[in-house]
Amino acid sequence: MPAPSDDTRQRRVQQRALETRDLLLRAAVDVLCDSGYAGFSTLAVGEAAGVSRGRLVHHFPTKNALIEAVTDHLSASYAALAPAQARELAAAPQPDRAAQGLGMIWQLMNTRDYQAFLELLIGTRHDPELRPVVREFERRLEHELMAAVRTVSGPAADSPAFGASLLTALQAMRGLLLISSAGGHDLAAEWETVRGRLLLLFRPVA
């Protein structure tokens, strides 16, 4: 059997590097969700991923580099997922597109990925170096979610008040998730209450 060519070996090395990087990023999300920002460190992420310190440092030499990569990873995930879900909903007949759009956003936000973002948002609020990184991710995520809802909503999105109502909805959902992270809340029941109030923002004025 002939030995693999240099190109083949190089592709294998590159593939292993990509797999290790992805493993570390997914482990970073898990550490943020399970231990919070206070328990987040490169060491904790390496242990969660089962990756040696040497391999970890090769990919992410500092904690800040890892956090920046996590925000890019989450941005790419939402940039692929949100439009795909929006197109699927928009293609099907919907009796209430506002309700469908809000439900879609809630599903996208009520996830471990978004929980990891909230941990970063809280944890880096006093970090002058990382705060702009997390804020930029927040801006990109907000853009993706709002664009997805506009796709689902169709002509209703042309209303002058639609953008303001949608931004209010996003902020309310974020606040609900932040409050619930402290524990002691029935998130499903509270979402139903908030959802009903938010839908009023999208009802046409008689």
Side-chain angles (χ1 to χ4, degrees):
M1 182 175 180
S5 66
D6 289 343
D7 286 346
T8 300
R9 284 194 294 269
Q10 182 64 24
R11 284 196 296 271
R12 288 176 179 173
V13 170
Q14 291 173 345
Q15 181 61 33
R16 284 196 295 270
L18 289 173
E19 290 171 355
T20 299
R21 180 182 175 86
D22 184 65
L23 180 64
L24 287 167
L25 291 173
R26 286 187 282 111
V29 169
D30 287 338
V31 171
L32 283 166
C33 291
D34 297 336
S35 302
Y37 187 77
F40 182 81
S41 67
T42 54
L43 179 61
V45 171
E47 290 178 349
V51 172
S52 69
R53 179 168 179 79
R55 290 171 66 197
L56 170 63
V57 171
H58 173 74
H59 288 279
F60 306 112
T62 65
K63 178 180 177 180
N64 285 11
L66 178 56
I67 289 175
E68 290 185 23
V70 168
T71 61
D72 287 340
H73 168 73
L74 294 177
S75 291
S77 176
Y78 275 105
L81 186 59
Q85 290 198 9
R87 288 192 297 270
E88 183 177 341
L89 283 175
Q94 302 292 339
D96 191 337
R97 289 192 174 273
Q100 292 294 327
L102 289 181
M104 178 189 66
I105 295 182
W106 179 249
Q107 289 179 359
L108 289 168
M109 292 175 70
N110 189 20
T111 61
R112 285 177 70 80
D113 280 356
Y114 196 79
Q115 182 184 346
F117 156 65
L118 291 178
E119 290 294 339
L120 288 175
L121 184 66
I122 296 170
T124 62
R125 67 189 184 280
H126 298 308
D127 188 322
E129 183 177 352
L130 287 174
R131 188 169 60 246
V133 173
V134 176
R135 290 297 186 187
E136 173 60 19
F137 167 65
E138 181 181 23
R139 186 195 65 78
R140 285 184 285 174
L141 176 58
E142 187 176 274
H143 172 78
E144 292 293 344
L145 293 176
M146 292 182 73
V149 176
R150 288 180 181 278
T151 298
V152 173
S153 300
D158 296 331
S159 166
F162 185 88
S165 297
L166 183 52
L167 185 58
T168 299
L170 287 173
Q171 292 169 340
M173 292 182 200
R174 183 190 306 145
L176 180 58
L177 290 168
L178 280 169
I179 292 171
S180 69
S181 66
H185 294 266
D186 185 342
L187 183 58
E190 291 186 13
W191 163 240
E192 281 304 308
T193 300
V194 171
R195 174 180 175 275
R197 294 170 181 168
L198 291 175
L199 283 173
L200 296 176
L201 297 174
F202 297 91
R203 298 292 182 237
V205 178

